[in-house]
Amino acid sequence: MGAAAGLSPRWNGTCSGTGRQISSQLGERSSGSLGSERRGDAVTAHRGRPVSFRTVTEPARSTSGPTPVVVLVSGSGTNLQALIDAAGNAAYGVRIAAVGADRNGITALHRAGAAGIPTFVCRVQDYATRADWDAALAEWIGDHDPALVVSAGFMKLLGPQVLSRWTVINTHPALLPAFPGAHAVRDALAAGVSETGCSVHVVDAGIDTGPVLAQTAVPVAPGDTEESLHERIKTVERVLLVEYVGRAAREGLVVEESGVHLGAR
Ligand code: GRF
């Protein structure tokens, strides 16, 4: 039986926000147009080869505790805070084992410290090569033995040492595959779209190209600036991230070539 098996029906969420949530369905990520809705619960069929997440959560499952998660951050950490708050409820099924950053002095690290969560900083500029940094980051993460890694506003591309060992869930402030990259909100505004949003997806080697687990649409308002739109996106982004990290921890996650879905357990 899974660590948090049976807990999910009691988790009703503690965050609030507005937006139109779009759940992913297996293999739909690259086929749907932006305007099309992708509704419905995540697919639960167990097809194909389950990869890292199910494998690495086995130890957590046998100890009957919450799923250990390492969260990676680079900035203000409001998504991290939402996860910290959710994890305060045992029914959520997540233990934030550590918070890692690519820079010092950020508010996200203070949030982790205030919550008594171990932190580490692993800066690219402290290593001779990007590959060395990737290996060091994998070591830092591995010290906390997570079953899942969450990138919550982490502004670095992860390398193969990390991605081969853990499934990483990322949150992105756009409706992927539209507007990948570091300036997603600015790019959406520049493109003049009437609707953008946020995506929770599994990280692969590309820039925000991994399979999408869930999305929430957010309308662009007249007069929106990059800041005002991003803040409105972040309100729903936190809700979506909390929901899907919790569900991944409680239900398991299967990542396949054709997409990602909940329900490995
Ligand atoms: C989020 O919108 C995330 O998607 C983006 O950066 C923002 C981080 O916000 N990559 P916060 O640090 O969690 O407040």
Side-chain angles (χ1 to χ4, degrees):
M1 190 167 109
L7 288 175
S8 51
R10 295 202 294 274
W11 171 253
N12 294 317
T14 56
C15 296
S16 62
T18 56
R20 179 171 58 82
Q21 188 168 321
I22 309 162
S23 298
S24 87
Q25 291 187 339
L26 199 59
E28 281 194 350
R29 181 182 69 81
S30 57
S31 59
S33 72
L34 263 185
S36 70
E37 291 195 26
R38 284 171 277 181
R39 286 189 182 279
D41 257 335
V43 176
T44 53
H46 300 172
R47 285 192 278 138
R49 183 179 61 91
V51 292
S52 56
F53 183 75
R54 184 153 76 172
T55 304
V56 299
T57 48
E58 290 299 330
R61 295 172 66 186
S62 63
T63 59
S64 302
T67 298
V69 172
V70 166
V71 183
L72 301 177
V73 293
S74 296
S76 63
T78 62
N79 281 283
L80 167 68
Q81 188 66 56
L83 291 168
I84 292 171
D85 294 346
N89 181 344
Y92 185 59
V94 168
R95 174 176 65 85
I96 302 179
V99 171
D102 64 336
R103 62 198 75 189
N104 291 300
I106 55 174
T107 307
L109 288 173
H110 296 306
R111 293 180 190 274
I117 298 168
T119 61
F120 60 86
V121 176
C122 187
R123 305 188 320 159
V124 171
Q125 60 264 45
D126 292 337
Y127 296 88
T129 66
R130 189 80 181 203
D132 290 343
W133 173 77
D134 174 33
L137 183 60
E139 266 194 50
W140 275 112
I141 294 171
D143 284 349
H144 301 279
D145 199 21
L148 178 69
V149 174
V150 176
S151 161
F154 188 65
M155 300 306 284
K156 291 283 183 301
L157 277 183
L158 294 167
Q161 294 285 338
V162 171
L163 296 179
S164 63
R165 285 178 64 184
W166 296 281
T167 294
V168 182
I169 290 181
N170 181 49
T171 177
H172 181 76
L175 294 175
L176 294 170
F179 311 118
H183 306 293
V185 180
R186 186 187 310 169
D187 293 346
L189 271 180
V193 294
S194 60
E195 184 178 84
T196 181
C198 57
S199 305
V200 170
H201 71 102
V202 172
V203 177
D204 67 9
I207 300 175
D208 302 318
T209 51
V212 172
L213 188 56
Q215 298 179 309
T216 303
V218 174
V220 178
D224 253 339
T225 62
E226 182 178 354
E227 192 179 33
S228 67
L229 180 56
H230 199 172
E231 281 309 313
R232 219 162 54 255
I233 291 170
K234 283 172 67 168
T235 302
V236 296
E237 189 178 16
R238 291 188 281 267
V239 177
L240 196 70
L241 184 68
V242 164
E243 177 179 352
Y244 278 86
V245 168
R247 289 190 67 182
R250 296 188 303 272
E251 300 171 31
L253 201 62
V254 177
V255 186
E256 304 174 299
E257 272 183 35
S258 55
V260 58
H261 60 92
L262 298 161
R265 294 180 181 169

